[in-house]
Amino acid sequence: MSRLEVLPFDESHLPDAGRLLAARHRRHRAAEPHLPARFEDPVTCSTEVAAVLGGTDVSGAVALRDGRVVGYLLGAPKPGPDWGRNVWVESAGLAVEEAEDARDLYAAAAARWAEEGRTAHYVLVPAHDEALVSAWFRLAFGHQHTHAVREVPAGPAGTPPHVRVRRAARGDVAALARLDLELPAHQALAPTFSAAPTGTYEEALAEWEDDVDDPDFATFVAEHEGRVVGSAVGCRLERSGSHAGPARPDGAGFLGFAAVLPGARGLGAGRALGEAVLDWSRSEGHACVVTDWRATNLLSSRAWPALGFRPSYLRLHRLLGH
Ligand SMILES: CC(C)(COP(=O)(O)OP(=O)(O)OC[C@H]1O[C@@H](n2cnc3c(N)ncnc32)[C@H](O)[C@@H]1OP(=O)(O)O)[C@@H](O)C(=O)NCCC(=O)NCCS
């Protein structure tokens, strides 16, 4: 194989990047047909890559073999305190013909990211592409987060006799506020160790007082022995900023939140709540439902695949300097 040449990415590379991304996405859709069909089109893809390139502090690299573009990588920092001094490669930020070339592209692009003091790196990779995931593992990245999708069910699933699921009402705001704190509390523990801010009960209560009737969100509660022990929220996927571009299935519902009180976990309440959101999505006319979870969350990483969710993208993460 001839030698790989790696150069900084610029606007002249957009048509080739579009061609490569469309080819990557065609392979991805063969494995996961719910991903959006329009990104099989190179022109749509080059417009998407142009939008990435137009962002703030974007940089990256392009790989050529015999003068032909065979891969590209584009990353940009995400604002806010949650992700450290970071660079993210989003779903339209990477495509290669040969998985191994991703390593050379990263080496070229990451040199600048490190010089800029950006030491927390994140990349979204098609979940079906074992060779590409393996290439990133050999760059010391690990699996941090999973994006997943499944079709809506044909009809409602029966709930277990000891759990009752219903739409939330204004009288549930105190229970909903308490349950909001359970997700960050759980993910602050081993082995997730997330440092995401937890917020207070009072803040959560004030939000629920305002939002409990919001028609854009379908909120469900699960009762066990007459007490609310869990909640889940469904909405249109467009309400989520973390599923975009080639990673956003068209017309999808979204399981955006679920939590069950620690003492009531493992009884089937989480399954019943997830199924309520699946059924709501069906009744809203969605074809599929998306959710996502931390790979290190021992509860959701088992509960959502058990409900039939299939990984579509993996978010891989590396912290430099250790
Ligand atoms: C995730 C969560 C909502 C699931 O609720 P739950 O009531 O504990 O879940 P269930 O008892 O309904 O179990 C759901 C499925 O996960 C499976 N599961 C649960 N624990 C498991 C384990 N240790 N190993 C394998 N599978 C497991 C169950 O078997 C079940 O599948 P099944 O019905 O096919 O058997 C709940 O554990 C929770 O609140 N976790 C903390 C907050 C959180 O992580 N929220 C999700 C954010 S993405």
Side-chain angles (χ1 to χ4, degrees):
M1 199 183 278
S2 54
R3 212 173 62 81
L4 196 70
E5 186 185 7
V6 181
L7 303 171
F9 191 108
D10 67 43
E11 268 187 13
S12 69
H13 301 121
L14 286 172
D16 284 315
R19 166 180 57 79
L20 290 165
L21 181 59
R24 187 202 84 184
H25 195 68
R26 270 195 294 280
R27 296 192 298 273
H28 201 175
R29 283 195 79 240
E32 183 45 78
H34 284 299
L35 292 168
R38 69 185 182 287
F39 288 101
E40 291 195 8
D41 171 35
V43 175
T44 302
C45 284
S46 99
T47 305
E48 188 73 11
V49 182
V52 174
L53 191 61
T56 306
D57 289 334
V58 181
S59 64
V62 68
L64 294 89
R65 207 171 255 118
D66 297 328
R68 187 172 169 275
V69 176
V70 294
Y72 74 93
L73 179 71
L74 277 177
K78 217 188 253 294
D82 291 352
W83 305 105
R85 300 270 297 139
N86 69 83
V87 173
W88 280 66
V89 177
E90 301 277 9
S91 59
L94 158 73
V96 283
E97 289 182 353
E98 296 291 331
E100 187 64 16
D101 294 344
R103 300 175 77 214
D104 300 78
L105 285 162
Y106 175 73
R112 169 166 167 178
W113 301 338
E115 267 169 33
E116 292 170 348
R118 305 187 195 284
T119 51
H121 297 172
Y122 303 85
V123 57
L124 268 180
V125 179
H128 78 104
D129 194 338
E130 287 177 16
L132 190 55
V133 172
S134 163
W136 285 96
F137 282 179
R138 285 176 287 110
L139 288 164
F141 277 71
H143 178 184
Q144 184 186 53
H145 203 84
T146 304
H147 293 219
V149 63
R150 60 153 288 168
E151 39 293 316
V152 293
T159 46
H162 54 282
V163 175
R164 176 174 171 245
V165 173
R166 58 170 173 80
R167 284 296 279 262
R170 188 154 286 279
D172 296 315
V173 291
L176 290 168
R178 165 133 193 249
L179 283 157
D180 266 9
L181 308 185
E182 291 296 344
L183 173 59
H186 176 67
Q187 296 204 144
L189 303 175
T192 301
F193 297 116
S194 163
T198 308
T200 66
Y201 171 78
E202 288 71 25
E203 286 164 349
L205 188 63
E207 268 184 46
W208 276 113
E209 297 276 8
D210 287 346
D211 295 347
V212 71
D213 302 320
D214 187 336
D216 278 1
F217 294 89
T219 304
F220 296 89
V221 292
E223 291 179 357
H224 175 63
E225 295 176 347
R227 189 172 73 108
V228 171
V229 295
S231 64
V233 181
C235 62
R236 290 182 297 117
L237 182 59
E238 284 73 15
R239 299 298 305 240
S240 164
S242 56
H243 299 263
R248 177 185 288 173
D250 291 329
F254 183 46
L255 171 57
F257 175 85
V260 171
L261 294 178
R265 289 177 190 157
L267 297 172
R271 167 175 279 278
L273 285 161
E275 283 171 345
V277 172
L278 293 177
D279 192 50
W280 170 83
S281 300
R282 179 187 57 78
S283 69
E284 290 289 298
H286 296 300
C288 61
V289 184
V290 165
T291 196
D292 56 89
W293 61 81
R294 280 294 172 109
T296 45
N297 182 332
L298 300 187
L299 301 173
S300 54
S301 66
R302 290 164 177 160
W304 303 147
L307 255 79
F309 284 97
R310 299 180 297 272
S312 56
Y313 278 86
L314 308 184
R315 185 208 298 157
L316 310 180
H317 171 48
R318 176 182 188 185
L319 200 55
L320 303 191
H322 304 282

